């Protein structure tokens, strides 16, 4: 079946550091790929998405590129802030169907 | 406010009891999904409804059931509760037909004591 693998956390960075959270997937066909963010005590919010190979999703300084050849969708940000501290989930899905989530990666940013 | 409303926000109940969690989807969305988030299991898909009909079923226990009503709100019923059922239960909604992802509610935190 479909699956998503994320790097385990926590990831601890200093403010203004570069962030990479790795995500790889296994799927039959060509799914859409998503990154969701969960702040403490809240639900998941869609951060960015890409629907086909080589698409780049971006939002709030975060970026991820859909790489079909490496089945990856790594999340990057050039300069993290304390307010980016949260749990980040990579997910895949096909139109109208359930999403399959990775295990989540906790990011902690220190001032 | 994401547009997806879940009630109650918190629920504490005893083992063996039954509870009902409610979800109102974002306006215009026909599909509702239920997920369970526990510390050791991550986000587990439970069940999906589309316009009142069950569309997909995941790792949902037989003690759990759900339905979607004509006004599109959904309820998740959990019975014969066990300590291990303590978790965050999320509802999400989507149009059910596109790749734009879900909108999640803020969840119901269930504690079974």
């Amino acid at each position: 079946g479909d699956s998503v693998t994320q790097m385990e956390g926590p990831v601890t960075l200093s403010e203004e550091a570069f962030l990479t959270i790795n995500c790889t997937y296994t799927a039959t066909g060509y799914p859409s790929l998503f990154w969701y963010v969960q702040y403490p005590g809240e639900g998941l919010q869609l951060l960015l998405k890409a629907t086909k190979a080589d698409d780049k999703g971006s939002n709030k300084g975060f970026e991820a590129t859909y790489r079909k050849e490496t089945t990856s969708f790594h999340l990057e940000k050039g300069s993290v802030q304390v307010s980016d501290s949260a749990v980040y989930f990579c997910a895949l899905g096909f139109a109208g169907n359930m999403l399959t989530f990775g295990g989540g990666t906790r990011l902690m940013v220190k001032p | 406010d994401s547009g997806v409303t879940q009630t109650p926000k918190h629920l504490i109940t005893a083992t063996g009891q039954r509870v009902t969690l409610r979800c109102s989807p974002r306006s215009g969305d026909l599909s509702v999904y239920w997920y369970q988030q526990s510390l050791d299991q991550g986000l587990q898909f439970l069940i999906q409804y589309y316009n009142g009909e069950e569309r997909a079923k995941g790792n949902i226990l037989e003690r759990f059931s759900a339905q979607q009503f004509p006004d599109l709100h959904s309820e998740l019923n959990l019975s014969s509760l066990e300590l291990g059922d303590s978790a965050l239960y999320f509802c999400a909604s989507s149009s059910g037909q596109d790749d734009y992802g879900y909108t999640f509610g803020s969840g119901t935190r269930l504690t079974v004591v």
Side-chain angles (χ1 to χ4, degrees):
Chain A
D2 301 338
S3 66
V4 176
T5 303
Q6 294 180 231
M7 60 189 292
E8 289 193 19
V11 173
T12 303
L13 296 173
S14 297
E15 206 164 24
E16 298 184 3
F18 185 86
L19 168 71
T20 299
I21 300 178
N22 291 336
C23 170
T24 57
Y25 68 90
T26 301
T28 304
Y30 301 104
S32 295
L33 301 174
F34 306 86
W35 276 100
Y36 281 82
V37 58
Q38 184 179 29
Y39 297 102
E42 298 184 12
L44 279 72
Q45 301 175 24
L46 179 63
L47 182 59
L48 54 85
K49 71 176 181 74
T51 58
K52 61 183 186 296
D54 300 325
D55 265 3
K56 177 184 282 188
S58 61
N59 186 25
K60 299 181 181 179
F62 291 90
E63 293 183 340
T65 301
Y66 191 141
R67 301 287 188 198
K68 187 178 69 172
E69 62 278 10
T70 56
T71 61
S72 64
F73 194 54
H74 304 321
L75 182 68
E76 296 182 336
K77 186 176 186 183
S79 176
V80 293
Q81 305 300 311
V82 173
S83 58
D84 294 327
S85 298
V87 180
Y88 292 81
F89 291 91
C90 184
L92 68 82
F94 296 89
N97 293 313
M98 55 168 278
L99 291 182
T100 298
F101 286 87
T105 302
R106 181 176 299 279
L107 170 65
M108 300 170 60
V109 180
K110 298 184 175 181
Chain B
D1 182 6
S2 68
V4 176
T5 304
Q6 287 189 249
T7 57
K9 291 192 181 302
H10 302 277
L11 200 49
I12 302 175
T13 190
T15 54
Q17 295 298 305
R18 172 189 169 94
V19 297
T20 297
L21 312 184
R22 181 188 169 101
C23 169
S24 295
R26 192 179 57 168
S27 178
D29 284 350
L30 299 179
S31 213
V32 169
Y33 310 79
W34 286 97
Y35 279 82
Q36 179 191 59
Q37 185 180 34
S38 56
L39 283 175
D40 58 346
Q41 293 288 321
L43 271 163
Q44 298 291 315
F45 169 69
L46 296 178
I47 197 164
Q48 176 196 0
Y49 278 82
Y50 177 78
N51 203 20
E53 300 290 326
E54 182 183 305
R55 175 174 270 191
K57 186 177 280 191
N59 299 320
I60 188 166
L61 299 173
E62 286 191 9
R63 300 184 286 108
F64 296 0
S65 64
Q67 58 186 128
Q68 186 179 27
F69 294 86
D71 66 352
L72 300 178
H73 91 271
S74 178
E75 293 182 355
L76 179 67
N77 300 296
L78 315 177
S79 61
S80 302
L81 285 167
E82 302 175 359
L83 296 178
D85 298 327
S86 296
L88 265 171
Y89 291 85
F90 285 108
C91 168
S93 74
S94 75
S95 72
Q97 297 177 351
D98 56 43
D99 287 339
Y100 297 123
Y102 299 170
T103 301
F104 275 81
S106 57
T108 294
R109 181 172 293 280
L110 173 66
T111 303
V112 182
V113 298

